[in-house]
Amino acid sequence: MDLKQKIEYQETIEKYLEENQVYDLFEYLLKELLVDRPDEPIDYLISKLEKPPRRRFFLVGPTGSKRYEVAKELSDRFRLERISLQDLLKAEVNKNTALG
């Protein structure tokens, strides 16, 4: 393989990696690995690859904009986990603790 062929081959590989977002995946996995520092890094990386990535979104809006109803509809429709500050606060108040 001459120099020209090597360069073309390298460009082909780089294009493939970029188109398939492999660089982004490696960056994400490396960050997760450095933050969590698991005892079994290979098993940890395999489990990260097997699970779908968590997607998070925040719904904000003024009073009366029906954020709660919209969030409930979206979570039901797309089977997403929903965390509501309103529900969390109500649950704490209902516990009748010193804080609630």
Side-chain angles (χ1 to χ4, degrees), residues 1-2 6 13 15 20 30 33 36-37 49 52-53 56 62 65 69 75 77-78 82 91 93 99:
M1 189 180 283
D2 67 358
K6 286 181 180 180
I13 290 173
K15 181 180 177 187
N20 291 287
L30 185 58
L33 194 62
D36 291 343
R37 297 179 185 239
L49 289 170
R56 295 183 177 121
S65 61
E69 291 83 2
S75 66
R77 182 179 218 173
F78 296 108
R82 178 176 49 89
V93 169
L99 295 176

Side-chain angles (χ1 to χ4, degrees), residues 1 4 7 36 44 69 80 93-94 96:
M1 189 180 283
K4 183 179 178 185
I7 292 173
D36 291 343
Y44 174 84
E69 291 83 2
L80 301 171
V93 169
N94 289 336
N96 291 325

Side-chain angles (χ1 to χ4, degrees), residues 59-69:
L59 205 55
V60 295
T63 303
S65 61
K66 299 186 179 183
R67 293 178 308 270
Y68 186 84
E69 291 83 2

